[in-house]
Amino acid sequence: MDIASLAGFFVAWVGYTTFARKRAKEAWCLASSLQWYRVEWMLRMLERDMRMSDTAIIGNLERVIGFFASTSILVLAGLVTALAANQAAIEVLHHLPLVGRTTAAEFELKVLLLVLIFVFAFFNFTWSLRQFSFANVLIGAAPEPGGSDMTQEERRRFAINTAKVIDQAGHSYNYGFRSFYFAMAVMGWFIHPLLFVAGYVAVVLVLYQREFRSRTLMAILAAGGQLLPKDSVK
């Protein structure tokens, strides 16, 4: 049961990530709608003489992502401590209701899975930070409004590609954030494999609802004037 639930966990995570990436090309979701706004943002940025507001927005995003990157490191430190004191942790688990007998090897495997998840999250958050810093450089190198050194088409291409860098940074942030969600599901594995399964199934449902059918998505689309089929978003 442990092996089956663990296999299902990876299938659910990889499967949802693949589904979300492909579905975003066919239907509106948070990622695709925000990319539309990023392109509009960069086009307007090219029309401004002063770009401090644009770099301030990037800086605010970097601070949020930096918080989660730091949190990942703190969680990893706690997990390493749990590995070092596995016997004491196992004794605590045995005193909890509904928790079956757990061997040291099983406990270490579950903790190592959490370690891998938060390492993955940390790398995604830090890569997101680097991509946002690249976007800052591009904004700093953006052509001045009214300049004659670039054609209108070249300016538009510059805006679209700068928005694409920000979009890729957003995707990396999203991957790291999803890791936190799936890590919550792994906590159920310490109690029972079936609770583990229920946890990651619930995570997939929550992620789908929020990314593809949430009221927030409807508001974002309505603000931009995109047309939606009736009752397509709840």
Side-chain angles (χ1 to χ4, degrees):
M1 189 176 293
D2 283 324
I3 294 174
S5 62
L6 180 59
F9 173 77
F10 286 110
V11 169
W13 192 346
V14 175
Y16 177 77
T17 301
T18 303
F19 163 80
R21 187 167 57 246
K22 292 182 177 179
R23 181 65 176 166
K25 298 177 181 178
E26 304 168 356
W28 287 112
C29 67
L30 290 177
S32 57
S33 61
L34 287 175
Q35 172 58 4
W36 184 88
Y37 279 103
R38 289 174 182 127
V39 173
E40 292 298 309
W41 172 21
M42 290 298 104
L43 288 171
R44 284 164 173 73
M45 180 271 296
L46 292 180
E47 299 172 357
R48 286 192 280 268
D49 288 315
M50 310 298 289
R51 279 79 183 261
M52 285 85 77
S53 60
D54 305 293
T55 56
I57 294 171
I58 296 289
N60 286 332
L61 293 170
E62 288 177 324
R63 279 192 289 274
V64 173
I65 299 169
F67 167 79
F68 282 105
S70 301
T71 301
S72 300
I73 291 293
L74 294 175
V75 172
L76 283 169
L79 291 171
V80 171
T81 302
L83 281 176
N86 57 356
Q87 290 301 324
I90 291 171
E91 286 300 318
V92 172
L93 285 175
H94 287 168
H95 285 88
L96 296 176
L98 305 178
V99 179
R101 301 299 299 179
T102 302
T103 65
E106 290 172 341
F107 176 81
E108 290 170 359
L109 173 63
K110 296 169 184 178
V111 174
L112 283 173
L113 176 59
L114 285 172
V115 168
L116 290 175
I117 291 173
F118 282 102
V119 167
F120 177 78
F122 175 77
F123 274 95
N124 275 286
F125 286 136
T126 52
W127 178 229
S128 179
L129 282 171
R130 290 195 66 193
Q131 290 175 99
F132 275 121
S133 69
F134 302 155
N136 256 329
V137 173
L138 288 172
I139 291 173
E144 295 294 330
S148 59
D149 56 331
M150 295 179 72
T151 65
Q152 194 64 28
E153 180 58 32
E154 289 173 333
R155 294 169 69 86
R156 180 172 178 81
R157 186 164 60 246
F158 182 93
I160 291 173
N161 284 291
T162 303
K164 189 174 295 184
V165 173
I166 299 174
D167 182 58
Q168 291 302 310
H171 282 304
S172 297
Y173 171 58
N174 200 20
Y175 294 150
F177 207 65
R178 282 181 193 164
S179 302
F180 275 64
Y181 278 82
F182 280 100
M184 296 300 103
V186 176
M187 300 301 295
W189 196 15
F190 288 90
I191 299 175
H192 195 278
L194 290 180
L195 186 59
F196 181 30
V197 174
Y200 60 72
V201 169
V203 165
V204 169
L205 293 175
V206 167
L207 288 174
Y208 174 77
Q209 193 279 330
R210 291 183 177 179
E211 293 185 19
F212 292 92
R213 302 187 65 82
S214 65
R215 293 178 183 271
T216 301
L217 174 61
M218 185 186 345
I220 290 173
L221 293 173
Q226 291 96 326
L227 297 177
L228 292 171
K230 187 177 180 181
D231 299 329
S232 64
V233 182
K234 298 181 179 178

